[in-house]
Amino acid sequence: MEPLLFLAHRIPYPPDKGDKIRSFHLLRHLAARHRVFLGTFVDDPADRRHVAALQALCADVCALPLAPRRRRIASLAGFATGEALTLPYYRSAALQRWVDATVAREGIRRGFVFSAAMAQYVLAHAGMRRVLDLVDVDSEKWRQYAAGRRGPAAWVYRREADRLLRFEAAAAGAFDASLLVTAAEKALF
């Protein structure tokens, strides 16, 4: 079977809530047809015990801990760089090294990226056929959060909506295909 890189912003197991249900079923479908190399984050320490279930399904799993409190601090770098705060929140040198080494070692030519925030890991791999599942239009969620706020929080949320939408659009343009959940999200995007 051909190798495939699968990246997800949150461990896709157990399939017990929205995005994890969707990502798990996509992963399981792809694993029946490809040797899947999964790169993901574990944001709930209780989910660490589920990595073994994914190792049984995948050729390799890189499941890195993601400490939300620390990552929120790291995301502040986006103010200095001008990028969406979501990108440094999910940026990991360790995951980037794993992706680059795995793609080179396994000769991976296909990638499936679940969530726009994870697109940053494969943008440099232009020779790879890539599909981006936008899951939700996250930029629109930030815009909705801004509508319910005033003052500095509203400004930060509007900024995040604008910067993230720019990144989502650029990533979608760089990928071979992009997926959205509903026709309404497609119209929004």
Side-chain angles (χ1 to χ4, degrees):
M1 286 195 280
E2 184 178 0
L4 177 119
L5 180 68
F6 189 109
L7 300 176
H9 67 296
R10 181 175 294 121
I11 186 171
Y13 198 87
D16 58 1
K17 59 184 174 181
D19 66 298
K20 291 171 90 173
I21 293 169
R22 181 176 170 82
S23 61
F24 173 73
H25 287 292
L26 287 164
L27 175 65
R28 188 175 60 178
H29 174 81
L30 292 168
R33 292 153 180 79
H34 299 274
R35 284 180 31 250
V36 173
F37 294 81
L38 171 64
T40 191
F41 291 107
V42 181
D43 60 358
D44 179 350
D47 282 346
R48 191 85 195 139
R49 64 191 165 125
H50 299 298
V51 171
L54 293 168
Q55 288 170 327
L57 190 61
C58 300
D60 189 22
V61 175
C62 177
L64 299 175
L66 187 141
R69 199 172 292 153
R70 278 192 223 143
R71 297 316 309 162
R72 280 192 290 276
I73 293 166
S75 74
L76 297 175
F79 286 118
T81 63
E83 65 189 334
L85 305 178
T86 298
L87 298 176
Y89 183 92
Y90 284 104
R91 187 167 294 136
S92 163
L95 185 57
Q96 187 67 66
R97 283 190 301 273
W98 180 84
V99 166
D100 294 344
T102 302
V103 167
R105 182 183 66 249
E106 301 297 330
I108 295 177
R109 297 185 331 238
R110 296 181 188 271
F112 187 90
V113 176
F114 190 81
S115 174
M118 301 303 282
Q120 62 188 316
Y121 292 100
V122 295
L123 287 173
H125 295 281
M128 180 187 295
R129 297 218 33 167
R130 303 167 297 192
V131 173
L132 174 61
D133 188 334
L134 287 161
V135 187
D136 298 311
V137 181
D138 286 334
S139 56
E140 182 58 23
K141 284 198 270 188
W142 286 106
R143 193 167 312 290
Q144 290 171 9
Y145 296 156
R149 299 280 195 278
R150 293 177 188 251
W155 177 83
V156 170
Y157 292 166
R158 277 193 308 275
R159 179 195 181 279
E160 184 64 7
D162 293 341
R163 303 291 165 95
L164 190 54
L165 178 59
R166 276 189 237 149
F167 179 78
E168 289 166 339
F175 277 59
D176 296 286
S178 299
L179 307 175
L180 291 158
V181 176
T182 66
E185 286 182 346
K186 181 181 176 189
L188 257 176
F189 190 66

